[in-house]
Short mmCIF file of all heavy atoms in Angstrom, two decimals:
data_model
loop_
_atom_site.label_atom_id
_atom_site.label_comp_id
_atom_site.label_asym_id
_atom_site.label_seq_id
_atom_site.Cartn_x
_atom_site.Cartn_y
_atom_site.Cartn_z
N ASP Q 67 0.82 -1.21 0.00
CA ASP Q 67 0.00 0.00 0.00
C ASP Q 67 0.86 1.27 0.00
O ASP Q 67 0.38 2.35 0.28
CB ASP Q 67 -0.95 0.01 1.18
CG ASP Q 67 -0.23 -0.16 2.53
OD1 ASP Q 67 0.99 -0.47 2.52
OD2 ASP Q 67 -0.88 0.00 3.58
N GLY Q 68 2.16 1.12 -0.32
CA GLY Q 68 3.04 2.27 -0.44
C GLY Q 68 3.24 2.62 -1.90
O GLY Q 68 2.28 2.66 -2.68
N LEU Q 69 4.47 2.89 -2.29
CA LEU Q 69 4.75 3.10 -3.71
C LEU Q 69 4.34 1.86 -4.48
O LEU Q 69 4.49 0.74 -4.00
CB LEU Q 69 6.24 3.39 -3.93
CG LEU Q 69 6.85 4.57 -3.16
CD1 LEU Q 69 8.33 4.71 -3.52
CD2 LEU Q 69 6.10 5.86 -3.43
N ASN Q 70 3.85 2.05 -5.69
CA ASN Q 70 3.44 0.90 -6.49
C ASN Q 70 4.64 0.06 -6.90
O ASN Q 70 4.60 -1.18 -6.88
CB ASN Q 70 2.69 1.34 -7.75
CG ASN Q 70 1.48 2.20 -7.43
OD1 ASN Q 70 1.62 3.37 -7.13
ND2 ASN Q 70 0.29 1.62 -7.48
N LEU Q 71 5.73 0.77 -7.29
CA LEU Q 71 6.95 0.11 -7.74
C LEU Q 71 8.15 0.88 -7.21
O LEU Q 71 8.06 2.08 -6.92
CB LEU Q 71 7.02 0.09 -9.28
CG LEU Q 71 5.91 -0.60 -10.07
CD1 LEU Q 71 6.01 -0.22 -11.55
CD2 LEU Q 71 6.01 -2.11 -9.90
N VAL Q 72 9.28 0.20 -7.10
CA VAL Q 72 10.55 0.87 -6.87
C VAL Q 72 11.54 0.36 -7.90
O VAL Q 72 11.43 -0.77 -8.38
CB VAL Q 72 11.10 0.62 -5.44
CG1 VAL Q 72 10.20 1.26 -4.40
CG2 VAL Q 72 11.30 -0.86 -5.18
N PHE Q 73 12.48 1.21 -8.26
CA PHE Q 73 13.54 0.76 -9.15
C PHE Q 73 14.45 -0.21 -8.39
O PHE Q 73 14.87 0.06 -7.27
CB PHE Q 73 14.38 1.94 -9.66
CG PHE Q 73 13.65 2.80 -10.65
CD1 PHE Q 73 13.21 4.06 -10.29
CD2 PHE Q 73 13.43 2.36 -11.95
CE1 PHE Q 73 12.54 4.86 -11.20
CE2 PHE Q 73 12.76 3.15 -12.86
CZ PHE Q 73 12.31 4.41 -12.49
N GLN Q 74 14.74 -1.34 -9.04
CA GLN Q 74 15.70 -2.30 -8.50
C GLN Q 74 16.88 -2.32 -9.47
O GLN Q 74 16.72 -2.60 -10.66
CB GLN Q 74 15.05 -3.68 -8.38
CG GLN Q 74 13.97 -3.71 -7.29
CD GLN Q 74 13.09 -4.93 -7.38
OE1 GLN Q 74 12.00 -4.89 -7.93
NE2 GLN Q 74 13.57 -6.04 -6.82
N PHE Q 75 18.05 -2.02 -8.93
CA PHE Q 75 19.19 -1.73 -9.80
C PHE Q 75 20.21 -2.87 -9.92
O PHE Q 75 21.28 -2.68 -10.48
CB PHE Q 75 19.89 -0.46 -9.32
CG PHE Q 75 19.04 0.77 -9.42
CD1 PHE Q 75 18.76 1.53 -8.29
CD2 PHE Q 75 18.51 1.18 -10.63
CE1 PHE Q 75 17.98 2.68 -8.38
CE2 PHE Q 75 17.73 2.32 -10.72
CZ PHE Q 75 17.45 3.07 -9.61
N GLU Q 76 19.89 -4.06 -9.39
CA GLU Q 76 20.85 -5.16 -9.49
C GLU Q 76 21.23 -5.47 -10.92
O GLU Q 76 22.37 -5.82 -11.22
CB GLU Q 76 20.29 -6.44 -8.85
CG GLU Q 76 20.05 -6.34 -7.36
CD GLU Q 76 18.57 -6.26 -7.04
OE1 GLU Q 76 17.85 -5.57 -7.78
OE2 GLU Q 76 18.15 -6.87 -6.06
N LEU Q 77 20.26 -5.34 -11.83
CA LEU Q 77 20.52 -5.69 -13.22
C LEU Q 77 21.53 -4.75 -13.86
O LEU Q 77 22.27 -5.14 -14.78
CB LEU Q 77 19.20 -5.67 -14.02
CG LEU Q 77 19.21 -6.36 -15.38
CD1 LEU Q 77 19.63 -7.81 -15.26
CD2 LEU Q 77 17.84 -6.26 -16.04
N ILE Q 78 21.59 -3.51 -13.38
CA ILE Q 78 22.57 -2.56 -13.91
C ILE Q 78 23.99 -3.05 -13.64
O ILE Q 78 24.90 -2.86 -14.45
CB ILE Q 78 22.35 -1.16 -13.30
CG1 ILE Q 78 21.13 -0.50 -13.95
CG2 ILE Q 78 23.58 -0.27 -13.47
CD1 ILE Q 78 20.80 0.87 -13.40
N HIS Q 79 24.16 -3.74 -12.51
CA HIS Q 79 25.49 -4.20 -12.11
C HIS Q 79 25.62 -5.71 -12.36
O HIS Q 79 26.13 -6.45 -11.52
CB HIS Q 79 25.72 -3.85 -10.65
CG HIS Q 79 25.52 -2.39 -10.36
ND1 HIS Q 79 26.43 -1.43 -10.73
CD2 HIS Q 79 24.49 -1.73 -9.77
CE1 HIS Q 79 25.98 -0.24 -10.36
NE2 HIS Q 79 24.82 -0.39 -9.79
N PHE Q 80 25.15 -6.14 -13.52
CA PHE Q 80 25.10 -7.56 -13.85
C PHE Q 80 26.49 -8.19 -13.99
O PHE Q 80 27.48 -7.54 -14.29
CB PHE Q 80 24.34 -7.76 -15.17
CG PHE Q 80 24.98 -7.07 -16.36
CD1 PHE Q 80 26.06 -7.65 -17.03
CD2 PHE Q 80 24.49 -5.85 -16.82
CE1 PHE Q 80 26.65 -7.01 -18.11
CE2 PHE Q 80 25.08 -5.21 -17.89
CZ PHE Q 80 26.17 -5.79 -18.54
N ASP Q 81 26.50 -9.47 -13.74
CA ASP Q 81 27.64 -10.32 -14.08
C ASP Q 81 27.12 -11.20 -15.22
O ASP Q 81 26.19 -11.99 -15.02
CB ASP Q 81 28.04 -11.17 -12.87
CG ASP Q 81 29.23 -12.08 -13.14
OD1 ASP Q 81 29.83 -11.94 -14.23
OD2 ASP Q 81 29.55 -12.93 -12.29
N TYR Q 82 27.70 -11.07 -16.39
CA TYR Q 82 27.12 -11.72 -17.57
C TYR Q 82 27.37 -13.24 -17.52
O TYR Q 82 28.21 -13.79 -18.22
CB TYR Q 82 27.69 -11.12 -18.86
CG TYR Q 82 26.99 -11.64 -20.11
CD1 TYR Q 82 25.77 -11.13 -20.50
CD2 TYR Q 82 27.57 -12.66 -20.87
CE1 TYR Q 82 25.12 -11.63 -21.62
CE2 TYR Q 82 26.92 -13.15 -22.00
CZ TYR Q 82 25.70 -12.63 -22.37
OH TYR Q 82 25.05 -13.13 -23.49
N LYS Q 83 26.61 -13.89 -16.63
CA LYS Q 83 26.64 -15.34 -16.48
C LYS Q 83 25.23 -15.81 -16.18
O LYS Q 83 24.48 -15.14 -15.46
CB LYS Q 83 27.59 -15.76 -15.36
CG LYS Q 83 29.06 -15.45 -15.63
CD LYS Q 83 29.92 -15.84 -14.45
CE LYS Q 83 31.39 -15.51 -14.70
NZ LYS Q 83 32.25 -15.83 -13.52
N ALA Q 84 24.87 -16.98 -16.69
CA ALA Q 84 23.52 -17.49 -16.47
C ALA Q 84 23.19 -17.60 -14.99
O ALA Q 84 22.05 -17.32 -14.58
CB ALA Q 84 23.38 -18.85 -17.16
N GLN Q 85 24.18 -17.97 -14.16
CA GLN Q 85 23.93 -18.17 -12.74
C GLN Q 85 23.52 -16.86 -12.06
O GLN Q 85 22.67 -16.86 -11.16
CB GLN Q 85 25.18 -18.73 -12.05
CG GLN Q 85 24.94 -19.16 -10.62
CD GLN Q 85 23.97 -20.33 -10.51
OE1 GLN Q 85 24.05 -21.29 -11.26
NE2 GLN Q 85 23.02 -20.23 -9.59
N PHE Q 86 24.12 -15.74 -12.48
CA PHE Q 86 23.75 -14.45 -11.90
C PHE Q 86 22.27 -14.18 -12.12
O PHE Q 86 21.55 -13.76 -11.19
CB PHE Q 86 24.58 -13.33 -12.54
CG PHE Q 86 24.12 -11.94 -12.16
CD1 PHE Q 86 24.60 -11.31 -11.03
CD2 PHE Q 86 23.18 -11.26 -12.95
CE1 PHE Q 86 24.16 -10.03 -10.68
CE2 PHE Q 86 22.74 -10.00 -12.61
CZ PHE Q 86 23.22 -9.38 -11.46
N PHE Q 87 21.78 -14.40 -13.33
CA PHE Q 87 20.39 -14.10 -13.66
C PHE Q 87 19.43 -15.10 -13.01
O PHE Q 87 18.32 -14.74 -12.61
CB PHE Q 87 20.22 -14.03 -15.17
CG PHE Q 87 20.99 -12.90 -15.78
CD1 PHE Q 87 22.29 -13.07 -16.21
CD2 PHE Q 87 20.43 -11.64 -15.87
CE1 PHE Q 87 23.01 -12.02 -16.74
CE2 PHE Q 87 21.14 -10.57 -16.39
CZ PHE Q 87 22.45 -10.77 -16.82
N LYS Q 88 19.85 -16.35 -12.90
CA LYS Q 88 19.05 -17.34 -12.20
C LYS Q 88 18.90 -16.94 -10.74
O LYS Q 88 17.78 -16.96 -10.19
CB LYS Q 88 19.70 -18.72 -12.30
CG LYS Q 88 18.94 -19.85 -11.61
CD LYS Q 88 19.63 -21.19 -11.86
CE LYS Q 88 18.83 -22.34 -11.28
NZ LYS Q 88 18.80 -22.34 -9.81
N ASP Q 89 20.01 -16.55 -10.12
CA ASP Q 89 19.97 -16.14 -8.71
C ASP Q 89 19.10 -14.89 -8.52
O ASP Q 89 18.35 -14.79 -7.54
CB ASP Q 89 21.38 -15.84 -8.21
CG ASP Q 89 22.23 -17.09 -8.10
OD1 ASP Q 89 21.68 -18.21 -8.12
OD2 ASP Q 89 23.47 -16.94 -8.00
N LEU Q 90 19.18 -13.96 -9.47
CA LEU Q 90 18.39 -12.73 -9.37
C LEU Q 90 16.91 -13.03 -9.49
O LEU Q 90 16.09 -12.51 -8.71
CB LEU Q 90 18.82 -11.75 -10.47
CG LEU Q 90 18.07 -10.40 -10.52
CD1 LEU Q 90 18.19 -9.67 -9.20
CD2 LEU Q 90 18.60 -9.53 -11.66
N LEU Q 91 16.53 -13.89 -10.43
CA LEU Q 91 15.13 -14.28 -10.57
C LEU Q 91 14.60 -14.91 -9.30
O LEU Q 91 13.52 -14.54 -8.79
CB LEU Q 91 14.98 -15.28 -11.72
CG LEU Q 91 14.77 -14.77 -13.13
CD1 LEU Q 91 14.56 -15.95 -14.09
CD2 LEU Q 91 13.57 -13.83 -13.21
N GLU Q 92 15.35 -15.87 -8.77
CA GLU Q 92 14.88 -16.60 -7.60
C GLU Q 92 14.84 -15.70 -6.37
O GLU Q 92 13.93 -15.81 -5.54
CB GLU Q 92 15.79 -17.81 -7.38
CG GLU Q 92 15.62 -18.86 -8.48
CD GLU Q 92 16.57 -20.03 -8.35
OE1 GLU Q 92 17.53 -19.94 -7.53
OE2 GLU Q 92 16.39 -21.03 -9.07
N LYS Q 93 15.81 -14.78 -6.26
CA LYS Q 93 15.80 -13.83 -5.14
C LYS Q 93 14.58 -12.93 -5.21
O LYS Q 93 13.89 -12.70 -4.21
CB LYS Q 93 17.09 -13.01 -5.15
CG LYS Q 93 17.29 -12.12 -3.93
CD LYS Q 93 16.67 -10.76 -4.02
CE LYS Q 93 17.33 -9.92 -5.07
NZ LYS Q 93 16.74 -8.53 -5.08
N ASN Q 94 14.27 -12.41 -6.40
CA ASN Q 94 13.12 -11.51 -6.54
C ASN Q 94 11.81 -12.23 -6.28
O ASN Q 94 10.87 -11.64 -5.72
CB ASN Q 94 13.11 -10.87 -7.93
CG ASN Q 94 14.01 -9.65 -8.00
OD1 ASN Q 94 14.42 -9.10 -6.98
ND2 ASN Q 94 14.33 -9.21 -9.21
N GLU Q 95 11.72 -13.50 -6.67
CA GLU Q 95 10.49 -14.25 -6.41
C GLU Q 95 10.36 -14.57 -4.91
O GLU Q 95 9.25 -14.64 -4.39
CB GLU Q 95 10.46 -15.53 -7.23
CG GLU Q 95 10.25 -15.28 -8.71
CD GLU Q 95 9.06 -14.36 -8.98
OE1 GLU Q 95 7.93 -14.71 -8.59
OE2 GLU Q 95 9.27 -13.28 -9.57
N ARG Q 96 11.48 -14.71 -4.26
CA ARG Q 96 11.46 -14.98 -2.82
C ARG Q 96 11.15 -13.72 -2.02
O ARG Q 96 10.37 -13.74 -1.07
CB ARG Q 96 12.83 -15.55 -2.41
CG ARG Q 96 12.94 -15.96 -0.96
CD ARG Q 96 14.28 -16.65 -0.70
NE ARG Q 96 15.42 -15.77 -0.90
CZ ARG Q 96 16.28 -15.87 -1.92
NH1 ARG Q 96 16.12 -16.80 -2.84
NH2 ARG Q 96 17.31 -15.03 -2.03
N GLU Q 97 11.76 -12.59 -2.42
CA GLU Q 97 11.63 -11.35 -1.66
C GLU Q 97 10.48 -10.46 -2.13
O GLU Q 97 9.95 -9.66 -1.35
CB GLU Q 97 12.94 -10.56 -1.74
CG GLU Q 97 14.15 -11.28 -1.16
CD GLU Q 97 14.03 -11.50 0.34
OE1 GLU Q 97 13.34 -10.72 1.01
OE2 GLU Q 97 14.63 -12.48 0.84
N PHE Q 98 10.11 -10.56 -3.40
CA PHE Q 98 9.06 -9.69 -3.96
C PHE Q 98 7.99 -10.51 -4.68
O PHE Q 98 7.70 -10.29 -5.86
CB PHE Q 98 9.68 -8.67 -4.92
CG PHE Q 98 10.66 -7.75 -4.27
CD1 PHE Q 98 12.01 -8.05 -4.26
CD2 PHE Q 98 10.24 -6.58 -3.65
CE1 PHE Q 98 12.93 -7.21 -3.65
CE2 PHE Q 98 11.15 -5.73 -3.03
CZ PHE Q 98 12.50 -6.04 -3.03
N PRO Q 99 7.38 -11.48 -3.98
CA PRO Q 99 6.31 -12.26 -4.61
C PRO Q 99 5.08 -11.39 -4.82
O PRO Q 99 4.96 -10.31 -4.24
CB PRO Q 99 6.05 -13.37 -3.60
CG PRO Q 99 6.36 -12.73 -2.28
CD PRO Q 99 7.54 -11.82 -2.55
N ALA Q 100 4.13 -11.87 -5.63
CA ALA Q 100 2.86 -11.15 -5.79
C ALA Q 100 2.25 -10.92 -4.40
O ALA Q 100 2.35 -11.80 -3.53
CB ALA Q 100 1.93 -11.94 -6.68
N PRO Q 101 1.67 -9.76 -4.13
CA PRO Q 101 1.30 -8.70 -5.08
C PRO Q 101 2.41 -7.72 -5.44
O PRO Q 101 2.16 -6.77 -6.18
CB PRO Q 101 0.17 -7.97 -4.37
CG PRO Q 101 0.55 -8.07 -2.91
CD PRO Q 101 1.19 -9.43 -2.77
N TYR Q 102 3.64 -7.92 -4.93
CA TYR Q 102 4.75 -7.05 -5.32
C TYR Q 102 5.17 -7.37 -6.75
O TYR Q 102 5.03 -8.51 -7.22
CB TYR Q 102 5.94 -7.24 -4.38
CG TYR Q 102 5.65 -6.92 -2.95
CD1 TYR Q 102 5.50 -7.93 -2.00
CD2 TYR Q 102 5.50 -5.60 -2.52
CE1 TYR Q 102 5.22 -7.64 -0.67
CE2 TYR Q 102 5.23 -5.30 -1.20
CZ TYR Q 102 5.08 -6.33 -0.27
OH TYR Q 102 4.81 -6.02 1.03
N THR Q 103 5.68 -6.35 -7.43
CA THR Q 103 6.12 -6.51 -8.81
C THR Q 103 7.55 -6.01 -8.94
O THR Q 103 7.82 -4.83 -8.70
CB THR Q 103 5.22 -5.72 -9.79
OG1 THR Q 103 3.86 -6.11 -9.59
CG2 THR Q 103 5.62 -5.99 -11.23
#
């Protein structure tokens, strides 16, 4: 019920490896599940 969205900047500081993006996806689903986006 606060801001609808916030900028998340982890992707700006990416490590170009599949594991980095897998970890980021799973972290966001763990920490920001629906109704968060």
Side-chain angles (χ1 to χ4, degrees):
D67 55 350
L69 304 181
N70 303 77
L71 301 167
V72 294
F73 288 108
Q74 292 165 262
F75 296 122
E76 296 107 320
L77 196 57
I78 284 179
H79 305 286
F80 61 80
D81 181 7
Y82 187 80
K83 294 177 181 177
Q85 189 64 45
F86 171 88
F87 294 91
K88 180 176 184 292
D89 291 344
L90 179 58
L91 272 183
E92 292 176 348
K93 188 273 293 183
N94 276 344
E95 289 310 301
R96 184 174 64 251
E97 299 295 333
F98 298 93
Y102 300 106
T103 306

